[in-house]
């Protein structure tokens, strides 16, 4: 699914997940408020709330009433495992097929700057 065809709340969820996986937010850290994140992303606050709610439903964030939303303990590990599985099941197979189709060798991949 191309990025533009994904619902906005899923794209926002991916931004938040990437921030957690990249260490911008660690387990126990306070996430930006719904309004602040909406303003930063140019999104509707209700859409951001839906993205945050999906993290809460998955046990990846916890809400402390009157304080804010925090990255749950173990969320980074859970996210990394889920993203790794998704990558290996959905993203990698067509990439691997294209690599084989084009005859790209492993040493050629290793020599590319990432």
């Amino acid at each position: 699914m191309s990025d533009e065809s994904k619902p906005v709340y899923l794209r926002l969820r991916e931004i938040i997940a990437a921030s957690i996986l990249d260490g911008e937010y660690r387990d126990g850290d306070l996430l930006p408020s719904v309004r602040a994140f909406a303003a930063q992303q140019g999104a509707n606050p209700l859409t951001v709330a839906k993205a945050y709610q999906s993290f809460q439903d998955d046990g990846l964030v916890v809400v402390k009433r009157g304080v804010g939303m925090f990255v749950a303990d173990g969320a980074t590990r859970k996210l990394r495992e889920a993203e790794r599985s998704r990558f290996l099941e959905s993203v990698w197979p067509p990439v691997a097929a294209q690599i084989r189709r084009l005859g790209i060798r492993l040493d050629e991949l290793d020599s590319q700057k990432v």
Side-chain angles (χ1 to χ4, degrees):
M1 182 180 289
S2 73
D3 220 31
E4 288 77 36
S5 65
K6 285 184 185 175
V8 174
Y9 86 96
L10 289 178
R11 286 185 267 157
L12 293 170
R13 183 182 161 95
E14 287 176 355
I15 292 167
I16 299 161
S19 295
I20 293 170
L21 290 172
D22 291 343
E24 186 176 333
Y25 302 109
R26 300 185 189 284
D27 292 3
D29 284 355
L30 177 67
L31 290 170
S33 70
V34 167
R35 287 187 183 146
F37 191 67
Q40 177 187 359
Q41 296 299 319
N44 182 313
L46 292 174
T47 306
V48 171
K50 184 174 181 176
Y52 275 10
Q53 182 64 49
S54 72
F55 275 104
Q56 190 177 354
D57 293 345
D58 292 343
L60 299 171
V61 299
V62 292
V63 177
K64 295 183 182 176
R65 281 217 180 276
V67 180
M69 195 164 295
F70 294 81
V71 179
D73 288 337
T76 304
R77 179 188 49 76
K78 287 179 190 174
L79 267 175
R80 184 165 287 113
E81 288 171 1
E83 284 298 304
R84 189 175 195 283
S85 292
R86 185 189 66 78
F87 178 83
L88 291 173
E89 292 170 10
S90 303
V91 177
W92 179 248
V95 171
Q98 185 72 357
I99 287 170
R100 282 190 300 274
R101 201 174 294 119
L102 297 174
I104 297 172
R105 297 183 322 269
L106 185 57
D107 64 319
E108 291 176 291
L109 294 174
D110 285 340
S111 67
Q112 297 299 309
K113 300 278 186 215
V114 179

